[in-house]
Amino acid sequence: MPVFDSASGPQKLTRAELYEKAWSEPMATLGPKLGLSDTGLRKICDKYHLPTPPRGYWAKVAVGQRIKRPPLPKLPASMRGSEETVIVFHQPPRPAPKELVAQQAEDDYPAGVRRRFEADPENRIVVPAILEQPHALVASSVLLLRKAKVDEDLRLRTRGLKCVALKVSLSAVDRALRLYDALFKALEARGHRVTLVTNDNETSTVVHVDGEQVGIEIQEHVTRTEVPPLKPQTGWYSKKYVWEATGRLTFVLTESYLSVRGKWSDGARQNLDEMLNDIVFGLGDAADAIKSRREAFERAERERQAAEAKRREAEDRARRARGKARALHQEVRSLQQSLAVREYVAAMRSAADAANLPPEHELRAWLEWAEEYADRLDPTKALRVPDDPDPHAEYRTAWNSPSPEPERSSWWQRPWYNR
């Protein structure tokens, strides 16, 4: 909403009021509220010696960093006076740009709500310096990791242990468990759930976010250096390496191909201890991506099943049509045969009458049987829908169809009768 009404005439702000507004929200959103562009508002701040947030300030605030802002300086002697400390805005409020409106609309969605919640300094996740009263999964993992052995790459071997997912060295396991402890407690405080899932002797750590399961793991970056042989080797030899643990941890999502951020690592300016809020927000993004992907798969499966049902229905219609055609051809042949038999019987009776054959002659008995046979062939006597005379023709054709004879390009490969 605009800060002032354009119908009420010019509006005034003191330097202190404009200073507070400039450090409360970005220039891109504050400018339209004051009827200016962000560049025009920045020029006014420079004119009245007002410090403004530097580039990247709001991005750092969004991840929970606290940056000290410079104090409001005094005006030069030439600008002092009550009339100079009042800034007058004559322009009417400008509508917000389309991209800003879209961003504000996006902030109203659950992702925007999560982003604002995690960016609030009051909700910052703090990693404890000492692991006291740990989460139940972390506490059980501590006992199990005491039995873990160290692999060649200096990382603990956790396969077969029902503990949190870790690929770290012995020197970094304490910090990794403290990160897990702070993260698990924060997730449960936000209404999520963390469980351990065992499959094929491999235990994975799964976060349940909005009904979706997101796998997580903490890894440590280790360096590998090849040890040169003491003397030149002429044949094959086994290379030897020296491994070194760096202490740099990385939090990864084990689910791949989600098109969202899936890795957070220690860096030169920021480490994982300061990224837990961003990780929690990223888990929500991953859950949304998993849900979208699952819904896309389900939608594609429904479409495939619908297409398959449509194809089968079309095949059934075509199969029934071919069966009806066979029945029709059979009925036509039967009618033609019936008419031919009756024509034969009529012709033979005429010939028998012309020859004055007695009624007890065997030919007359034969003609009576032939006439009965014509009635049995005649489909007009039954007045019913005929059945398919060969309902298994489709399957028999598919099963018993002869394989095509291979082509013979050379003359000696051809049968002797074609030479």
Side-chain angles (χ1 to χ4, degrees):
M1 295 296 294
V3 175
F4 57 85
D5 185 7
S6 60
S8 60
Q11 305 294 323
K12 300 179 181 180
L13 286 176
T14 63
R15 289 181 68 243
E17 291 174 344
L18 184 57
Y19 170 76
E20 292 296 331
K21 290 181 179 296
W23 288 87
S24 62
E25 58 181 310
M27 294 286 184
T29 59
L30 179 61
K33 293 180 180 180
L34 298 177
L36 298 171
S37 64
D38 56 342
T39 304
L41 180 59
R42 195 177 297 277
K43 289 181 179 179
I44 290 179
C45 293
D46 293 340
K47 176 181 176 182
Y48 287 92
H49 299 272
L50 292 173
T52 56
R55 185 181 298 274
Y57 172 81
W58 297 108
K60 295 178 180 179
V61 171
V63 297
Q65 293 190 26
R66 295 184 179 181
I67 304 176
K68 186 178 180 181
R69 65 184 185 183
L72 178 63
K74 294 183 178 180
L75 280 174
S78 59
M79 296 181 62
R80 290 178 185 174
S82 59
E83 64 277 2
E84 287 86 4
T85 59
V86 176
I87 304 168
V88 181
F89 295 92
H90 295 277
Q91 300 179 2
R94 295 184 179 181
K98 293 182 178 180
E99 56 272 13
L100 178 59
V101 173
Q103 181 63 38
Q104 292 175 349
E106 181 182 351
D107 290 342
D108 294 334
Y109 284 94
V113 176
R114 293 197 305 266
R115 184 186 298 107
R116 291 194 299 271
F117 181 86
E118 299 301 335
D120 191 347
E122 296 182 358
N123 301 321
R124 185 181 180 185
I125 304 173
V126 180
V127 180
I130 301 175
L131 195 61
E132 297 179 346
Q133 297 181 351
H135 188 272
L137 296 179
V138 176
S140 61
S141 299
V142 170
L143 300 176
L144 293 174
L145 289 173
R146 292 175 181 175
K147 307 175 184 178
K149 297 181 180 180
V150 179
D151 284 334
E152 181 186 8
D153 59 358
L154 303 181
R155 292 186 286 199
L156 293 175
R157 185 185 307 167
T158 59
R159 183 173 178 84
L161 300 178
K162 194 171 183 179
C163 64
V164 293
L166 289 172
K167 289 183 180 178
V168 298
S169 64
L170 190 60
S171 59
V173 67
D174 177 68
R175 183 189 170 209
L177 291 174
R178 287 188 286 110
L179 286 170
Y180 265 145
D181 180 63
L183 181 63
F184 292 171
K185 293 177 180 178
L187 288 172
E188 291 185 352
R190 287 157 173 77
H192 308 311
R193 188 165 54 94
V194 184
T195 59
L196 300 181
V197 179
T198 303
N199 188 15
D200 294 336
N201 203 28
E202 188 75 21
T203 301
S204 57
T205 306
V206 175
V207 181
H208 301 259
V209 182
D210 298 335
E212 304 297 336
Q213 299 183 9
V214 186
I216 60 175
E217 187 178 54
I218 293 181
Q219 303 173 355
E220 181 182 3
H221 177 70
V222 295
T223 59
R224 188 184 73 172
T225 305
E226 183 179 350
V227 178
L230 298 178
K231 56 182 180 179
Q233 301 291 328
T234 57
W236 180 89
Y237 70 98
S238 177
K239 295 183 179 180
K240 296 183 179 180
Y241 301 95
V242 174
W243 301 82
E244 181 181 359
T246 62
R248 297 198 305 270
L249 299 183
T250 300
F251 183 93
V252 297
L253 305 182
T254 57
E255 193 73 24
S256 56
Y257 304 107
L258 293 180
S259 300
V260 296
R261 183 177 181 179
K263 183 183 294 186
W264 293 262
S265 302
D266 286 332
R269 298 183 179 181
Q270 200 174 15
N271 55 31
L272 278 180
D273 300 52
E274 302 170 352
M275 301 181 189
L276 293 185
N277 288 93
D278 195 20
I279 290 174
V280 172
F281 177 75
L283 289 171
D285 276 353
D288 293 341
I290 292 174
K291 182 178 181 180
S292 299
R293 184 177 65 180
R294 176 175 52 79
E295 291 177 348
F297 285 165
E298 292 175 353
R299 184 168 55 254
E301 180 63 19
R302 288 194 299 268
E303 293 175 355
R304 187 196 66 79
Q305 292 179 359
E308 179 67 14
K310 188 175 180 180
R311 183 189 65 82
R312 290 181 179 178
E313 184 180 355
E315 287 185 354
D316 290 341
R317 285 199 304 268
R319 188 180 299 110
R320 290 193 298 268
R322 289 191 292 269
K324 290 179 180 179
R326 286 191 294 268
L328 177 60
H329 294 163
Q330 179 70 20
E331 293 289 287
V332 170
R333 287 193 295 269
S334 298
L335 180 59
Q336 291 174 349
Q337 291 175 3
S338 176
L339 293 176
V341 170
R342 285 195 176 95
E343 184 179 356
Y344 164 79
V345 170
M348 291 299 292
R349 278 179 176 169
S350 298
D353 292 342
N356 294 323
L357 292 179
E360 62 274 8
H361 196 276
E362 60 180 359
L363 179 58
R364 293 189 182 276
W366 159 257
L367 293 177
E368 289 179 2
W369 177 87
E371 190 173 12
E372 293 175 358
Y373 180 71
D375 291 338
R376 290 197 300 270
L377 290 175
D378 190 356
T380 60
K381 299 293 184 181
L383 294 180
R384 61 176 178 80
V385 177
D387 297 328
D388 185 1
D390 193 3
H392 301 291
E394 305 274 342
Y395 306 103
R396 185 171 58 254
T397 303
W399 295 338
N400 302 334
S401 57
S403 58
E405 185 178 358
E407 296 183 359
R408 296 178 174 87
S409 57
S410 303
W411 65 269
W412 62 82
Q413 294 177 323
R414 299 172 187 169
W416 61 271
Y417 48 80
N418 287 335
R419 295 179 185 173

